[in-house]
Amino acid sequence: MQNISPKLIGIDLFLKTNEAPYNHVEVALVLGMPVQEVLSIMTKHSIPSITLVDFFTIVMHSSSYICRLIQRQWKYAQVDQYTPEILADIYEINIHKVQAAFDTLDKSSVSSQEVMDVFNNIYTSVFIVNNEVR
């Protein structure tokens, strides 16, 4: 799993500090996708310039990691409580690790405010090879 917080913060800052229409190269950069994919989505969906609504149309149809994560979050937009299965699906985390975190917290579901508690209880192995974390 990639560290998604900086990517989400980057998207948030991009939308708050730039005015539409957005530059397609900058959109590709902030969404972590090839420029050609942005242009292809724009062509397919008849987007002449990228407005705020069109930005999210691009997110909905992009294959980038962060866009796929956002798409999975939207799938559960009406959910009030997150189960281990839902969090494992959204964030592509091993279900057994997520379930172990829920067990540690003695919970079967959590609110959106408690998701970070779950993440803080998911343990991963870190390997250092030639002074690089892997």
Side-chain angles (χ1 to χ4, degrees):
M1 182 174 93
Q2 300 178 24
N3 187 349
I4 59 166
S5 288
K7 292 174 177 59
L8 293 174
I9 291 168
I11 292 168
D12 185 50
L13 285 173
F14 176 81
L15 294 174
K16 288 178 177 174
T17 60
N18 291 283
E19 292 187 20
Y22 305 114
N23 178 286
H24 67 280
V25 174
E26 291 175 355
V27 168
L29 183 64
V30 77
L31 294 177
M33 58 191 290
V35 172
Q36 188 54 46
E37 185 178 4
V38 172
L39 294 173
S40 175
I41 293 168
M42 289 175 71
T43 300
K44 183 176 181 180
H45 296 278
S46 303
I47 300 171
S49 63
I50 305 172
T51 65
L52 182 60
V53 171
D54 297 322
F55 179 89
F56 288 103
T57 298
I58 292 168
V59 168
M60 191 63 204
H61 296 281
S62 172
S63 64
S64 80
Y65 175 82
I66 196 66
C67 290
R68 287 184 295 111
L69 181 141
I70 293 168
Q71 294 161 18
R72 291 188 303 273
Q73 284 184 313
W74 286 343
K75 183 168 73 171
Y76 298 106
Q78 301 301 319
V79 172
D80 291 334
Q81 293 285 307
Y82 294 92
T83 63
E85 295 79 14
I86 291 172
L87 288 181
D89 181 39
I90 292 173
Y91 296 99
E92 294 183 327
I93 304 170
N94 179 294
I95 183 64
H96 302 292
K97 290 183 178 189
V98 178
Q99 185 62 60
F102 272 78
D103 292 346
T104 299
L105 295 169
D106 196 29
K107 296 193 178 257
S108 58
S109 65
V110 295
S111 68
S112 59
Q113 291 81 17
E114 298 171 297
V115 169
M116 282 308 296
D117 295 337
V118 174
F119 291 153
N120 288 333
N121 283 281
I122 295 176
Y123 301 101
T124 58
S125 301
V126 175
F127 298 99
I128 299 177
V129 178
N130 296 328
N131 292 325
E132 293 180 18
V133 175
R134 295 183 187 207

